[in-house]
């Protein structure tokens, strides 16, 4: 399938449109003796259009053979499989600077930061591993479905952009000079980001954690995660875009997938803030255990779930915006994107004294679903899917489905009903043409808590009047199509002031949903506005 390059017409994408240098360039990075200086400012691509006379040094790292550097071609920094691949673990610090004149860091293969291994087989996790630093404005582009960024246990990623200079992780096909076939960028063009932490996941036993033998194999491309420290830090990603990533299913079959961003047992010492994930193949963000936090996250047009929480995640999240849409392919056909807004799984392995089912606290959510079946697997666009003993408290959520002939907004599996009494919406609004998947509308799987047997799903959601369900035609969004219409007379409940929640993380927000129409000058409003414009252009 070929994607029409409408992406380049959007305001965000045009900021990434660079001057072409033509052709595919295969240049082996330089390996130097540590005492030798290499001038990487030489234009060795025979391309003078769009080049620069500035002294540009590509990223480098120290190895046993000396200093390994990328190669500057006059515009871009190029890194082939001699610099980074699935067979090379970079064990020293590495930094990616913003390149002048719209240059990008382009990778042919995987970028593995830190040494990975199984502690039950004699591997020792480094106490202080390497840090991958990405500076504001830097663009990293990947040209293979095997190309991932993997951060090992003990290593860190510090990719912290700014509102005016976000960091971009994207497909090399987003740039004409790398897009030899003219396909344009498309989901699954590259593998996405995997971060392996030392937090607690229910995929290990208490004994394994105590004996430092917790080693869970990650999905997609095998590496190991898990430990006993939910305060661990694997670094931070802020003010960043992750576009056209993911793949699957892989060698492990269905479910063995690469997501746009996978957080494996990442602890609360890491923060993920102001991120836009767009057009991923599998999930936008999938979390396996740990206690990391999410804030100011936009997920648009990813094929499977926008957020997938699993394996005992004990984190917090606020300001999550989700929109399901479609992309137009070059043959004129439409690929519908979006399965679950949230796939909410409580247990992946087994609960224990040290790790209970996933139990995040989440506030200020907007989920705009469609009435389509995802190109990923033919499953319907939904807002919430509850499974495997999930627990959660959800505040100020706005759930939207304007029409429904083959879809619905909320579904429970029978295992999802097991602890449904520990899932509660607060001060939330559902404006859905079809509210629940369950045909008879009651908890009666035989796995539900006794207190819920025979309770209607509508009563469960209403939570004694804390929430409300209104017509799908109700006016809930402002004219911009994404922010909450705070003047709506159809919404008759007030937002929760969140004063009972952790004030060190949760911001007071006097509105229901992720974004307020009274907040148009804020960084968050502008971030969502730009993300929705970019998604609409596809």
């Amino acid at each position: 399938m070929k994607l029409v390059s409408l992406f380049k017409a959007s305001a965000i994408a045009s900021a990434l449109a660079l001057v072409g240098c033509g052709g595919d360039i295969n240049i082996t990075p330089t390996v130097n003796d540590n005492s030798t200086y290499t001038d990487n400012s030489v234009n060795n691509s025979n391309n003078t259009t769009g080049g620069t006379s500035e002294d540009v040094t590509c990223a480098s790292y120290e190895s046993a053979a000396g200093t390994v550097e990328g190669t500057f071609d006059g515009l871009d920094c190029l890194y082939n499989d001699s610099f980074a691949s699935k067979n090379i673990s970079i064990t020293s610090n590495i930094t990616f600077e913003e390149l002048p004149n719209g240059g990008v860091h382009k990778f042919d293969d995987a970028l593995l930061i830190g040494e990975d291994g199984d502690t039950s087989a004699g591997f020792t996790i480094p106490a202080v591993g390497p840090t991958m630093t990405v500076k504001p404005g830097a663009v990293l582009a990947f040209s293979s479905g095997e190309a991932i960024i993997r951060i090992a246990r003990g290593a860190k990623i510090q990719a912290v952009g700014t509102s005016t200079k976000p960091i971009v992780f994207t497909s090399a096909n987003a740039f004409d000079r790398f897009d030899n076939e003219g396909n344009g960028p498309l989901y699954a063009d590259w593998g996405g980001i995997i971060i392996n932490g030392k937090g607690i996941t229910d995929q290990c036993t208490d004994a394994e954690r105590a004996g430092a033998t917790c080693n869970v194999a990650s999905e997609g491309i095998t590496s190991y995660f898990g430990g006993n420290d939910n305060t661990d830090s694997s670094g931070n990603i802020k003010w960043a875009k992750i576009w056209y990533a993911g793949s699957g299913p892989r060698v492990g079959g269905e479910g063995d997938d690469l997501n746009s961003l996978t957080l494996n047992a990442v602890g609360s010492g890491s923060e993920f803030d102001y991120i836009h994930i767009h057009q991923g193949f599998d999930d936008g963000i999938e979390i396996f255990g740990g206690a990391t936090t999410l804030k100011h996250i936009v997920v648009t047009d990813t094929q499977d779930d926008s957020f997938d929480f699993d394996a005992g995640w004990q984190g917090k999240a606020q300001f999550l915006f989700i929109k399901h849409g479609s992309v137009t392919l070059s043959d004129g056909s439409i690929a519908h994107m979006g399965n679950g807004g949230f796939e909410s799984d409580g247990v992946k392995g087994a609960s224990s004294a040290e790790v209970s089912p996933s139990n995040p606290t989440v506030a200020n959510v907007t989920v705009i679903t469609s009435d389509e079946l995802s190109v990923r697997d033919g499953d319907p666009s939904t807002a919430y899917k509850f499974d495997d003993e999930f627990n959660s408290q959800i505040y100020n959520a706005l759930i939207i489905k304007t029409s429904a002939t083959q879809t619905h907004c909320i579904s429970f599996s029978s295992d999802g009903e097991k602890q449904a009494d520990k899932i509660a919406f607060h001060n939330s609004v559902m404006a859905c043409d079809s509210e629940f998947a369950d045909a008879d509308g009651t908890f009666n799987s035989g796995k539900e808590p006794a207190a819920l047997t025979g309770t209607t799903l509508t009563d469960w959601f209403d939570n004694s009047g804390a929430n409300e369900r209104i017509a799908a035609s109700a006016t809930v969004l402002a004219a911009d199509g994404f922010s909450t219409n705070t003047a709506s007379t159809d919404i008759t409940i007030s937002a929760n002031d969140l004063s009972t929640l952790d004030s060190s993380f949760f911001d007071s927000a006097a509105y229901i949903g992720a974004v307020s129409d009274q907040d148009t000058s804020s960084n968050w409003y502008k971030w969502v506005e730009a993300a929705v414009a970019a998604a609409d252009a596809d």
Side-chain angles (χ1 to χ4, degrees):
M1 294 185 293
K2 296 183 179 179
L3 179 67
V4 176
S5 296
L6 293 174
F7 139 92
K8 299 181 180 72
S10 74
I12 290 208
S14 62
L16 302 179
L18 310 177
V19 179
C21 68
D24 187 37
I25 303 163
N26 185 13
I27 300 171
T28 302
T30 305
V31 179
N32 302 318
D33 179 82
N34 290 335
S35 64
T36 303
Y37 171 74
T38 298
D39 182 1
N40 280 318
S41 65
V42 176
N43 181 349
N44 53 13
S45 69
N46 297 318
N47 168 50
T48 58
T49 304
T52 176
S53 59
E54 297 182 49
D55 184 16
V56 173
T57 301
C58 296
S60 65
Y61 63 89
E62 299 303 317
S63 74
T67 302
V68 185
E69 296 180 291
T71 305
F72 184 59
D73 74 347
L75 181 60
D76 304 302
C77 283
L78 308 177
Y79 309 92
N80 71 7
D81 60 8
S82 295
F83 180 95
S85 78
K86 61 184 179 181
N87 299 314
I88 298 173
S89 292
I90 296 174
T91 57
S92 60
N93 294 340
I94 186 169
T95 298
F96 297 93
E97 302 279 354
E98 179 186 19
L99 298 179
N101 300 319
V104 307
H105 299 274
K106 188 255 191 183
F107 299 83
D108 292 340
D109 210 323
L111 179 60
L112 309 183
I113 307 300
E115 191 175 359
D116 178 67
D118 183 342
T119 62
S120 66
F123 176 75
T124 300
I125 301 168
V128 180
T131 296
M132 172 181 166
T133 300
V134 187
K135 294 295 187 67
V139 178
L140 279 65
F142 298 83
S143 59
S144 165
E146 296 295 311
I148 62 169
I149 297 173
R150 190 270 289 142
I151 308 299
R153 288 181 290 187
K156 288 182 171 61
I157 181 171
Q158 294 292 356
V160 181
T162 67
S163 60
T164 56
K165 286 190 174 185
I167 291 163
V168 178
F169 303 97
T170 191
S171 164
N173 288 337
F175 309 97
D176 286 342
R177 61 189 177 279
F178 301 132
D179 185 15
N180 295 326
E181 297 182 7
N183 290 342
L186 186 63
Y187 42 79
D189 271 356
W190 66 289
I193 302 172
I194 299 172
I195 302 178
N196 293 330
K198 296 182 287 186
I200 297 172
T201 170
D202 71 9
Q203 294 154 280
C204 291
T205 66
D206 293 349
E208 286 172 330
R209 282 184 284 273
T213 58
C214 175
N215 298 278
V216 184
S218 64
E219 289 185 354
I221 294 177
T222 299
S223 56
Y224 296 97
F225 66 92
N228 59 10
D229 183 5
N230 260 1
T231 67
D232 181 48
S233 174
S234 298
N236 307 288
I237 301 178
K238 299 182 180 182
W239 293 108
K241 304 171 189 177
I242 306 171
W243 288 11
Y244 310 113
S247 71
R250 301 178 65 79
V251 293
E254 186 176 353
D256 188 22
D257 308 306
L258 291 172
N259 308 294
S260 293
L261 176 60
T262 304
L263 304 178
N264 289 324
V266 176
S268 60
S270 290
E271 297 179 354
F272 300 90
D273 197 2
Y274 282 101
I275 297 174
H276 176 208
I277 293 173
H278 177 57
Q279 210 185 115
F281 183 88
D282 197 53
D283 299 329
I285 298 179
E286 185 160 16
I287 298 178
F288 293 96
T292 192
T293 60
L294 305 175
K295 205 166 193 178
H296 301 111
I297 311 292
V298 181
V299 181
T300 53
D301 297 349
T302 201
Q303 283 191 13
D304 200 15
D305 306 308
S306 299
F307 296 91
D308 191 337
F309 305 147
D310 206 345
W313 179 48
Q314 306 298 319
K316 299 184 283 284
Q318 187 177 23
F319 305 121
L320 308 181
F321 180 89
I322 298 163
K323 188 173 188 292
H324 293 169
S326 61
V327 297
T328 302
L329 307 178
S330 61
D331 62 2
S333 64
I334 302 296
H336 299 296
M337 308 290 281
N339 194 328
F342 294 86
E343 180 173 339
S344 305
D345 300 301
V347 177
K348 182 76 169 178
S351 296
S352 72
E354 292 184 0
V355 55
S356 62
S358 301
N359 188 18
T361 302
V362 181
N364 293 100
V365 172
T366 296
V367 189
I368 303 175
T369 66
S370 71
D371 188 34
E372 303 295 346
L373 306 181
S374 172
V375 68
R376 172 75 168 85
D377 51 17
D379 282 349
S381 165
T382 64
Y384 285 89
K385 299 185 291 184
F386 295 115
D387 197 6
D388 296 333
E389 304 177 43
F390 187 73
N391 298 183
S392 188
Q393 301 300 308
I394 305 163
Y395 297 82
N396 299 342
L398 178 59
I399 308 168
I400 300 168
K401 184 182 293 292
T402 56
S403 63
T405 61
Q406 57 185 346
T407 63
H408 48 269
C409 275
I410 296 178
S411 67
F412 281 89
S413 71
S414 58
D415 283 343
E417 289 189 4
K418 283 183 177 180
Q419 297 192 28
D421 57 336
K422 297 179 182 178
I423 305 171
F425 286 88
H426 306 269
N427 305 80
S428 298
V429 173
M430 178 158 48
C432 294
D433 197 37
S434 176
E435 295 176 341
F436 299 99
D438 193 317
D440 83 354
T442 62
F443 288 101
N444 61 4
S445 68
K447 295 185 177 181
E448 76 281 355
L452 282 181
T453 300
T455 300
T456 65
L457 293 166
T458 53
D459 282 348
W460 165 83
F461 179 84
D462 290 346
N463 194 12
S464 301
N467 310 304
E468 68 177 344
R469 295 169 293 105
I470 58 180
S473 58
T475 302
V476 294
L477 294 178
D480 57 29
F482 63 86
S483 68
T484 301
N485 181 349
T486 55
S488 172
T489 57
D490 293 319
I491 299 176
T492 62
I493 61 171
S494 299
N496 190 290
D497 64 10
L498 309 181
S499 59
T500 62
L501 304 184
D502 178 5
S503 61
S504 67
F505 177 79
F506 289 100
D507 297 334
S508 177
Y511 56 89
I512 293 167
V515 193
S516 170
D517 64 351
Q518 300 300 307
D519 201 24
T520 59
S521 62
S522 71
N523 284 330
W524 173 227
Y525 181 95
K526 292 176 180 178
W527 186 251
V528 179
E529 181 180 42
V532 170
D536 288 347
D538 274 352

